[in-house]
Amino acid sequence: MITSLSKLTMHQYIELVCGDVSVLKGSAEVVSPVKLEKTRKQLVYEYSKLSDNAGSKIFINDHVWRVRAKAELTMFQCLNNALLLGAFDDVRAVLKEYGIARKMDDKQLADEVKSQLNRARANLKRSKENPGKDNEKQPTPDEIRTHFDRQAASLMTYFKFQIDLDRISASQFACLVDQAYRQINAQMAALSKK
């Protein structure tokens, strides 16, 4: 099974992005659909990281924010349940570890946990209302192919050489995208200083 971008041609990578995971395995190879999908996601992320490092960092930060919102909601629900059982000292200890270390009587402690629980619920709701790139309307395979055709045409114009998508590896293509992006940004920065 192919697990590296350098082993995929750009044409195969485009088909992979369009959903064809069969490009990852040999003709007689048997691989579970779960493993194929996991590898597909890893390769798409790897390509994104090579070609648009800033964009992949935004994606990760967005994902981390949603995971954190879910974790905080779970934690404060557990603390609220612990308060109902009378475990005030345990809740104080957890809040101190969390960074809330001010002196509170039992009522203030309960109010603080409820306030944090409401904040966690609001954050989770906000993350669902503004889901970011991973929940946007997914492009069709034709739109994906058109995007990569335009990108290849732009690279050929910029670098003034032909790119054969059946021969260039996906990792080389991603690096060309990144290099062109960096050079264009440097040229624009130099022009803006004049």
Side-chain angles (χ1 to χ4, degrees), residues 43-101:
L43 291 173
V44 169
Y45 174 70
E46 185 181 337
Y47 179 90
S48 172
K49 191 174 173 187
L50 285 173
S51 67
D52 180 17
N53 201 15
S56 62
K57 285 179 184 173
I58 290 168
F59 171 79
I60 288 173
N61 287 339
D62 224 25
H63 185 70
V64 166
W65 191 79
R66 276 191 294 285
V67 169
R68 173 180 242 160
K70 289 176 184 177
E72 285 181 342
L73 178 63
T74 301
M75 181 181 79
F76 287 111
Q77 285 172 333
C78 290
L79 291 177
N80 194 45
N81 291 340
L83 287 175
L84 295 174
L85 297 172
F88 293 98
D89 290 336
D90 292 335
V91 172
R92 279 187 188 88
V94 171
L95 286 180
K96 184 176 182 181
E97 288 295 319
Y98 186 69
I100 301 172

Side-chain angles (χ1 to χ4, degrees), residues 94-146:
V94 171
L95 286 180
K96 184 176 182 181
E97 288 295 319
Y98 186 69
I100 301 172
R102 65 180 186 274
K103 296 267 186 189
M104 293 181 262
D105 61 33
D106 292 351
K107 170 130 178 48
Q108 291 171 324
L109 183 66
D111 289 344
E112 179 66 29
V113 169
K114 284 182 181 134
S115 171
Q116 293 292 335
L117 181 58
N118 289 334
R119 184 187 55 79
R121 283 182 180 134
N123 284 342
L124 187 59
K125 183 179 179 188
R126 200 172 316 122
S127 77
K128 288 179 179 176
E129 290 171 355
N130 303 313
K133 291 182 181 179
D134 52 339
N135 284 347
E136 284 181 359
K137 178 186 168 280
Q138 296 297 314
T140 66
D142 286 339
E143 291 170 334
I144 292 169
R145 288 183 186 96
T146 300

Side-chain angles (χ1 to χ4, degrees), residues 170-181:
S171 59
Q172 289 173 326
F173 190 87
C175 290
L176 284 174
V177 170
D178 181 58
Q179 183 178 353
Y181 176 78

Side-chain angles (χ1 to χ4, degrees), residues 1-3 5 8 13 16-17 21 24 33-49 59 63 134:
M1 183 171 101
I2 297 174
T3 59
L5 271 182
L8 281 175
Y13 176 76
L16 181 67
V17 173
V21 292
L24 296 176
V34 171
K35 187 170 184 178
L36 286 170
E37 185 58 26
K38 182 179 178 185
T39 303
R40 184 186 78 78
K41 287 179 180 179
Q42 288 172 336
L43 291 173
V44 169
Y45 174 70
E46 185 181 337
Y47 179 90
S48 172
K49 191 174 173 187
F59 171 79
H63 185 70
D134 52 339

